[in-house]
Amino acid sequence: MATSSTLPGRDIAAYLRTYATEMAFSAEPPEVIVDRYHTPDIVWLSDGHPMDRNRLAAHAKPSRKNVTQCRVDVTEALTSGDHVAARYTITATMRTGVTIATEVYMFGDLAPDGRLRRVDAITRDLPRAKKATPEVISDH
């Protein structure tokens, strides 16, 4: 169970880190995790694509199958009344060894109990670091 300090309305940065980790690695059912931090009527728009409670929970299945490491770096996080905003980067390492980094700009509305009831997020994929290729030196 989340402590009150990890509710989005209490500490949006702590929520972002905790929620991502729980959704990717917890043995708890994803629906329980979604309900902990979001109202039952949650509307999460990510790049214009809407997700409700069931779609948020379903989003955990591929993450749990494919992600081996996950880190959330919060650059900015603000709370004003029943509104939150954050800019953060989520970096995930996949079972294949590929690392994916996504920058997220998130704006949300809170319910009176501190859970999120609406999120509008804009994302952009960050360039992957290129692997160094060995320099070939030739005598010829």
Side-chain angles (χ1 to χ4, degrees):
M1 183 73 171
T3 64
S4 62
S5 63
T6 58
L7 283 173
R10 182 70 71 158
D11 185 341
I12 190 68
Y15 152 77
L16 291 167
R17 289 186 293 269
T18 303
Y19 179 67
T21 300
E22 288 181 10
M23 287 299 276
F25 304 114
S26 177
E28 274 188 298
E31 296 82 4
V32 171
I33 298 166
V34 170
D35 292 345
R36 180 177 302 139
Y37 299 109
H38 310 97
T39 60
D41 60 344
I42 180 71
V43 175
W44 188 300
L45 291 161
S46 186
D47 298 323
H49 301 284
M51 290 186 282
D52 62 8
R53 175 192 178 273
N54 293 335
R55 289 189 70 193
L56 281 172
H59 192 67
K61 187 175 181 178
S63 296
R64 290 179 177 190
K65 181 180 177 185
N66 297 312
V67 175
T68 60
Q69 292 180 335
C70 179
R71 185 180 77 241
V72 175
D73 297 309
V74 180
T75 307
E76 296 177 280
L78 304 166
T79 302
S80 178
D82 63 350
H83 301 289
V84 294
R87 180 168 56 106
Y88 61 98
T89 302
I90 186 163
T91 305
T93 302
M94 312 308 278
R95 290 201 188 287
T96 61
V98 172
T99 298
I100 300 168
T102 305
E103 187 171 45
V104 182
Y105 298 84
M106 180 197 119
F107 305 91
D109 296 329
L110 299 166
D113 65 3
R115 293 184 296 164
L116 281 166
R117 62 184 171 98
R118 181 179 174 90
V119 171
D120 288 280
I122 300 167
T123 68
R124 72 179 182 109
D125 294 335
L126 297 177
R128 294 183 186 162
K130 294 182 179 178
K131 293 183 180 178
T133 54
E135 186 176 326
V136 177
I137 301 173
S138 173
D139 292 343
H140 301 36

